[in-house]
Amino acid sequence: MKHTETSNEGLKRAYTLTIPAKEIEARIDSEIKKIAPQMKMPGFRPGKVPANLVRKMHGEQLHAQSLNDVIRESVDSVMTENKLRPAMQPKVDLSEKYEEGGDAEVTLELEILPEIAAPDLKGLKLEKLTVPVTDKQVDEAVENVAKGQKNFEDAPKSRKAKDGDQLIIDFLGKLDGEPFEGGKAEDAPLELGSGQFIPGFEKQLTGAKTGDEKVINVTFPADYQAEHLAGKDVTFDITVKAVKVAGEMKIDEDFAKSLGLDSLDKLKELLRGQLEQETAGMTRTAMKRSLLDQLASGHDFPVPEGMVDAEFEQIWQQLQQEAAREEDPAAALKEVEAEKDDYRSIAERRVRLGLLLSEIGQGAGVEVSQQEMQMLMQQAAQQYPAEQREQFFKFVQDEPMAAAQIRAPLYEDKVVDHLFETADVKEREVTRDELQAAIEAEETAPAPKKKAAAKKKAPAKKETAKKADAKPAAKKAPAKKAAAKKPAAKKAPAKKAPAKKAAAKPAAKKPAAKKAPAKKK
């Protein structure tokens, strides 16, 4: 095999590979020798089928497989010889002029990972903002638990329902005058003001009394999961069977025992632990963002465009989904579009941080163990129906990039923990509000290229800019096998769909469904 470099610009490389016909033919002969002893054919003893008959019967399949193997090995050889570290899956194409029996000309295009100088981590200084959990916060948490355990009692029939009251209703939903599937229920409990039904539903029942019959008009959200109802105007025939008021919940030992706990002190202990865990998570988030800000400000090196494109696409899809859930989707999307360059900068920052964290992790010997990887795969598999999980595991095993994506978040956390241990950390006690403000500070977002006038932020920009989920993209698996004829991309099995809710009872604001990969065919 001979190869020639045809392009060397920045991080982009391109090569032309010429694979002699004799190498392909030698591989086919080798494959025939492997399978011939296993073949059975009438008129021949087992393992005695002539090579020419094996070639005649399986020639096309053997040629395709052999060509694939030779191309893959040739690409690997070029990678090794030129010490290339691909940033993403290389593009490998077989010339359309190729004919069986001739030399194979292959083009190889890829982006490589940049050379990153070993970072100097001696100057890292971090502030650890801690929030002590007070008895008052624990008592408030207990009260919130009690509020969630309301006991509703029948109210006088003359009572007009208000927020906090519970209605027991029968309802029948109609689209264009006809009942629709999932739009009927009997003796359904509804707490006014809870936001558990679609927008406008509860508000129109405020003031209702026991025995009232009403027809209300509502519009399903544009992103409602039932497509035939999304954005549609419907009516509901309502019968109010009872109005109930919340009874007083006494916080005492019996209340704690009703929750399955030994005592009220045990409940407080449990809630204190939850609050401490929550604030510890917030503390870590603030520290991590400060750490990433310092790393980002102290390092500037070129990053592969393909990795930036992929990261930007993820950000952009999220923003579009969130804009679609706004009251005025068109205006929200327009505002996001106006800041497209800023989001591109965010994507570039994430990729650069991911590569830097990977370099630091490799230098420090940070690894994700096989046991941890198995745990991550098990967790990821829960997104798929039970009958497709085996298919998902095989997909991850066959697709190094998929495995890298699953591994990346835990690897990043391990590198960050390593940096926390090596940094100069000083603790400072703050209030919860001060900690929250530090997390929401705009310091982590990249500065826009042009100073824009103050305006309402586009949906989720703060979260997108600050999430700081830099992926250790540098720790990539080797390139996937090249194919003689480009096959359809292997896909993960379709994710498990959430159970359908009753048509009248979606959350007022629901998160956008994750886009599942197409089902493997």
Side-chain angles (χ1 to χ4, degrees), residues 230-242:
K232 296 295 179 65
D233 295 326
V234 299
T235 62
F236 280 94
D237 298 339
I238 308 289
T239 299
V240 180
K241 302 179 79 170

Side-chain angles (χ1 to χ4, degrees), residues 171-227:
F171 61 78
L172 177 64
K174 296 179 180 179
L175 174 63
D176 297 328
E178 296 294 329
F180 56 82
E181 183 181 356
K184 181 179 180 180
E186 296 181 355
D187 296 327
L190 167 62
E191 183 179 345
L192 295 184
S194 64
Q196 68 184 101
F197 280 33
I198 57 178
F201 193 103
E202 297 173 20
K203 186 175 181 181
Q204 295 181 64
L205 292 177
T206 301
K209 301 191 299 293
T210 300
D212 282 357
E213 295 184 357
K214 303 184 68 172
V215 176
I216 64 175
N217 299 281
V218 293
T219 302
F220 277 96
D223 60 348
Y224 191 66
Q225 64 264 32
E227 293 183 4

Side-chain angles (χ1 to χ4, degrees), residues 1 3-7 12-17 71-72 74-80 82 84 86 88-94 105-111 479-480 482:
M1 183 271 298
H3 74 275
T4 304
E5 185 178 70
T6 57
S7 179
K12 295 182 178 180
R13 301 288 185 274
Y15 298 86
T16 297
L17 289 63
I71 291 176
R72 172 178 55 80
S74 298
V75 168
D76 289 346
S77 176
V78 172
M79 297 278 195
T80 301
N82 293 277
L84 302 175
M88 298 184 70
Q89 187 66 47
K91 181 182 179 183
V92 180
D93 289 318
L94 175 65
E105 187 173 285
V106 176
T107 57
L108 168 63
E109 297 177 6
L110 73 158
E111 281 189 285
K480 189 171 64 174

Side-chain angles (χ1 to χ4, degrees), residues 150-170:
K150 292 179 182 177
N151 291 320
F152 288 96
E153 303 170 350
D154 288 335
K157 293 186 177 181
S158 60
R159 179 182 175 86
K160 294 183 178 181
K162 59 183 181 180
D163 280 359
D165 290 350
Q166 184 188 68
L167 303 184
I168 305 299
I169 60 174
D170 294 345

Side-chain angles (χ1 to χ4, degrees), residues 10 18 23 26 110 120 144 195 251 257 276 331 363 386 412 417 441 486 502:
T18 302
E23 287 189 25
L110 73 158
D120 182 7
N144 288 333
I251 299 175
K257 290 178 181 178
E276 288 173 345
E412 177 192 335
D417 287 339
K486 204 168 185 179

Side-chain angles (χ1 to χ4, degrees), residues 447-500:
K449 295 177 181 178
K450 294 182 180 180
K451 190 172 181 180
K455 58 181 178 179
K456 181 182 176 183
K457 294 192 184 300
K461 177 177 179 182
K462 183 184 293 182
E463 182 65 18
T464 304
K466 293 168 157 300
K467 198 170 183 180
D469 55 347
K471 301 175 180 64
K475 189 152 182 155
K476 290 288 184 183
K480 189 171 64 174
K481 294 180 181 179
K485 292 184 179 179
K486 204 168 185 179
K490 188 180 289 186
K491 298 178 182 179
K495 288 184 182 179
K496 179 169 57 180
K500 290 186 178 180

